[in-house]
Amino acid sequence: MKLTTLEAIISLKESSQVEYKKAKNDFPKDAWKSYSAFANTTGGYLILGISEDECKKPVLTGVKDAEKIISDFCSTLGDRSKVSLNIIENEDIRTAIIEDKTIVIIHIKEAAITDKPVYLNNNLAHTYIRLHSQDHLVDTQQLSTILRNQSDQLDYELLHNYDISDLDLDSINSYKSILSKRYPSLNYSEMDNQSFLENIGVFRKNRNTNKIHLTVAGLLFFGKYNSIIDRFPHYHVDFFDKRGNSQRWSFRIESGNLDFPDLNLFNYYRLVSEKLLLSVNRNFELDEYTIRKNPTDLTIALREAFVNMIIHADYFLNTTALIAEIHEPFYIFINPGIMKIPVKEFFTGGARSLVRNPLLVSLFTRMGASEHAGSGSQKIIDVVVKNRFKVPELKSDLERTYLKLWIAEPLVDVSNLKEDEKKVYTFICNPPTSNKSSIKFTKKEIANAHPDITSARLTRILNKLSEQNLIVKMGAYKNRTYVKAVSSVEVIHHWGETYDIIKHLFYKDKSDS
């Protein structure tokens, strides 16, 4: 965050990631709520030495003794009776002088999901989260959700008073048939159903009692509908095909509907997967987009997005259902629960394998529906890059995760460009065959392709294209390259550019610039 002028402060309002505090002489006690809230949500900046007037506009007041305030802050961070976790490093604290007044800027990173909640006063009830520009105490369900997110084996829970009669026989036989074909040497077809289910981990032994019990994953994956809702009363899975002129939908698959009895996760996956795959080769026209009628590997992206939605859901939540939707230019996938990795890791392909339901992952992997946990996001981004689709929209909070997967490329308006500007833009977007392997170009490479354009004129053209967000400048001046803006996800994905560029592309939030 760069705050070097009064104008920069005035333009920066409090938000989900910015909090002002007056803090004249001491570190303000109520600022610890913001520390907890930022750490438990998506991180943010605590700025000391700025207050607000009656119109909620920031006013530069400054701090008198920055070193004392920072020292007090760091001292309290080390007191576990005051703060449960210290996530601050030296580089997260800095000062700035604006119009002879000093402010203190503290960057509070989001805590790892296994370290949440970050709470105050040695009391879990003093856990805060950030909602818009306010710090809020968590309620009982939110706290339970945060604590539950620490676990990496939720679906291993053993269920008492459940047995094989609570499972759908057709689902078991169909799944066994799939595995028998994939792994003929394991002789699954010769096993009785109870032995088969124990073999694949659906039934597991309680080591304290030596008794065999059904697991949560087994109930969700193979269960009869009534048996599932006995344990998960808010369980609901849904699918909508919202293409066409219907005001609601043209086709729907939902649990609880007598047309789809015993819609466990296995049956839900089979039914909806078929609909998703059938939707791939379709033609449609919209004014706003240039549509790719035969996208490459779209079935891979749809499979990964759909399976990820199922295996990463928090089935203990009552906030939303599993929902998959087909729209004209995009697909939507919604599941209850927050992602266990930061959103930025989804886009960079560096997602660590943090599993919420490892047994469900195993069941889907065995049948060939997913390769392994953690690879899905990279496969999705690979398909987006290859087809130059519009960047996916991804939102995730304690209640739900929402993914919109576009299958269209934004239509760029270049009607206001002059002929030489169009030539440069066309080269960057669609270089000659000899340069097809490259998607980023130096000024020298562009100049060599257009020797009729002077160096000074080319500089002005590149600046104009950048200002209009048609291209993106990458790197420092001497090493600067230029890429087409709508495909810059490819640069980030394959070359690992900085998080600042990611924010520029995905978050469109200029408050940090």
Side-chain angles (χ1 to χ4, degrees):
M1 174 173 289
K2 298 177 183 178
L3 291 178
T4 56
T5 66
L6 183 60
E7 289 75 17
I9 291 176
I10 292 174
S11 65
L12 186 64
K13 298 180 180 180
E14 285 191 342
S15 66
S16 62
Q17 293 188 305
V18 176
E19 176 69 25
Y20 292 141
K21 294 294 180 184
K22 188 174 182 180
K24 198 71 176 177
N25 301 299
D26 304 290
F27 186 84
K29 293 182 180 180
D30 63 344
W32 287 109
K33 296 178 182 178
S34 297
Y35 175 85
S36 168
F38 284 141
N40 288 322
T41 316
T42 57
Y45 291 89
L46 179 62
I47 306 174
L48 308 179
I50 298 177
S51 59
E52 288 186 323
D53 62 18
E54 62 275 6
C55 297
K56 293 293 184 179
K57 293 182 178 180
V59 178
L60 177 62
T61 54
V63 300
K64 283 189 175 180
D65 191 341
E67 288 304 315
K68 177 183 180 298
I69 289 175
I70 293 172
S71 178
D72 290 346
F73 171 68
C74 293
S75 177
T76 303
L77 277 176
D79 185 350
R80 290 296 156 265
S81 67
K82 298 293 185 180
V83 187
S84 66
L85 182 69
N86 176 9
I87 56 175
I88 299 296
E89 299 176 358
N90 288 333
E91 58 266 28
D92 295 323
I93 305 173
R94 68 181 184 89
T95 60
I97 298 177
I98 303 175
E99 297 189 354
D100 296 325
K101 293 183 179 180
T102 301
I103 62 173
V104 178
I105 303 172
I106 302 174
H107 179 211
I108 303 167
K109 296 184 290 290
E110 179 182 359
I113 200 160
T114 52
D115 290 332
K116 297 177 183 179
V118 175
Y119 53 94
L120 308 176
N121 305 319
N122 206 27
N123 188 340
L124 280 171
H126 293 175
T127 296
Y128 292 82
I129 56 175
R130 190 78 173 174
L131 297 175
H132 302 292
S133 61
Q134 300 293 323
D135 305 320
H136 291 264
L137 271 173
V138 295
D139 58 32
T140 302
Q141 176 168 287
Q142 289 169 332
L143 181 58
S144 296
T145 299
I146 295 172
L147 292 170
R148 192 165 55 246
N149 286 335
Q150 295 178 358
S151 174
D152 59 0
Q153 48 185 357
L154 283 181
D155 61 348
Y156 277 118
E157 178 186 325
L158 301 180
L159 300 173
H160 299 278
N161 302 318
Y162 280 81
D163 56 36
I164 197 170
S165 66
D166 290 295
L167 306 183
D168 175 47
L169 182 60
D170 289 340
S171 299
I172 297 171
N173 289 335
S174 296
Y175 187 77
K176 185 195 292 188
S177 177
I178 293 172
L179 265 58
S180 296
K181 293 177 182 177
R182 284 177 60 84
Y183 311 103
S185 63
L186 297 180
N187 299 318
Y188 284 132
S189 60
E190 298 177 10
M191 296 181 186
D192 63 69
N193 285 339
Q194 182 67 40
S195 299
F196 169 69
L197 295 173
E198 290 179 21
N199 183 279
I200 62 175
V202 166
F203 280 88
R204 302 178 72 88
K205 180 186 291 186
N206 184 326
R207 297 295 175 179
N208 295 322
T209 65
N210 261 355
K211 292 183 178 179
I212 300 294
H213 295 277
L214 179 64
T215 58
V216 160
L219 176 63
L220 290 168
F221 196 79
F222 291 115
K224 296 175 179 177
Y225 176 70
N226 287 335
S227 296
I228 293 174
I229 62 173
D230 281 346
R231 177 62 183 85
F232 298 98
H234 299 285
Y235 171 86
H236 189 76
V237 295
D238 225 326
F239 164 79
F240 299 91
D241 187 337
K242 294 190 175 182
R243 294 173 292 174
N245 297 322
S246 172
Q247 294 183 352
R248 301 179 70 189
W249 59 80
S250 59
F251 186 77
R252 183 180 186 182
I253 297 172
E254 64 171 331
S255 55
N257 187 322
L258 295 181
D259 290 333
F260 306 101
D262 295 326
L263 199 58
N264 50 45
L265 295 182
F266 175 65
N267 288 330
Y268 176 62
Y269 170 79
R270 289 197 299 172
L271 289 170
V272 175
S273 289
E274 181 181 5
K275 298 297 181 183
L276 292 175
L277 296 181
L278 288 173
S279 72
V280 169
N281 294 318
R282 54 194 171 108
N283 298 332
F284 50 89
E285 297 293 338
L286 290 177
D287 293 338
E288 190 178 355
Y289 299 97
T290 298
I291 304 303
R292 299 213 178 254
K293 296 182 178 179
N294 296 298
T296 304
D297 295 335
L298 178 57
T299 55
I300 294 175
L302 291 177
R303 182 196 68 186
E304 295 297 336
F306 186 43
V307 172
N308 275 4
M309 177 190 82
I310 297 173
I311 64 179
H312 293 303
D314 182 350
Y315 293 96
F316 293 85
L317 269 177
N318 61 0
T319 53
T320 189
L322 284 179
I323 302 173
E325 297 180 356
I326 302 175
H327 295 256
E328 288 291 4
F330 56 83
Y331 297 81
I332 289 176
F333 301 93
I334 300 173
N335 64 262
I338 193 170
M339 287 175 59
K340 297 192 75 172
I341 60 167
V343 168
K344 63 181 180 181
E345 289 192 19
F346 177 95
F347 285 111
T348 58
R352 296 162 290 159
S353 180
L354 293 178
V355 181
R356 178 177 275 122
N357 300 300
L359 188 46
L360 284 179
V361 172
S362 174
L363 292 172
F364 277 100
T365 301
R366 286 172 185 261
M367 66 184 289
S370 178
E371 291 190 8
H372 57 82
S375 67
S377 65
Q378 182 147 359
K379 289 181 180 297
I380 293 169
I381 295 300
D382 281 340
V383 174
V384 171
V385 167
K386 186 179 295 185
N387 292 278
R388 296 185 183 272
F389 289 152
K390 183 178 179 180
V391 176
E393 297 175 29
L394 179 62
K395 304 173 186 177
S396 188
D397 56 34
L398 286 177
E399 294 187 348
R400 70 172 194 163
T401 295
Y402 170 100
L403 172 66
K404 179 185 283 189
L405 181 60
W406 292 90
I407 55 170
E409 180 179 350
L411 181 63
V412 180
D413 182 8
V414 295
S415 59
N416 67 327
L417 297 182
K418 297 178 180 179
E419 284 307 310
D420 55 355
E421 294 167 346
K422 289 180 181 179
K423 286 168 62 176
V424 172
Y425 179 66
T426 300
F427 174 82
I428 294 173
C429 296
N430 298 293
T433 305
S434 58
N435 288 334
K436 279 292 185 182
S437 61
S438 178
I439 64 166
K440 58 180 183 176
F441 303 93
T442 64
K443 181 182 176 182
K444 183 178 180 180
E445 289 173 324
I446 300 170
N448 289 341
H450 299 287
D452 56 318
I453 301 177
T454 66
S455 177
R457 174 58 181 158
L458 181 56
T459 297
R460 292 194 295 271
I461 290 173
L462 292 172
N463 287 337
K464 178 179 179 179
L465 296 177
S466 175
E467 290 168 1
Q468 294 189 8
N469 295 319
L470 294 174
I471 64 173
V472 175
K473 297 178 181 179
M474 310 285 286
Y477 180 74
K478 290 184 178 180
N479 299 310
R480 178 162 293 165
T481 56
Y482 302 86
V483 298
K484 180 183 176 183
V486 296
S487 64
S488 300
V489 61
E490 186 167 0
V491 177
I492 292 170
H493 187 52
H494 290 292
W495 280 278
E497 299 291 344
T498 65
Y499 180 37
D500 289 338
I501 300 296
I502 295 173
K503 287 194 291 187
H504 173 78
L505 290 168
F506 298 119
Y507 297 108
K508 301 177 183 177
D509 182 357
K510 306 302 182 183
S511 63
D512 287 37
S513 58

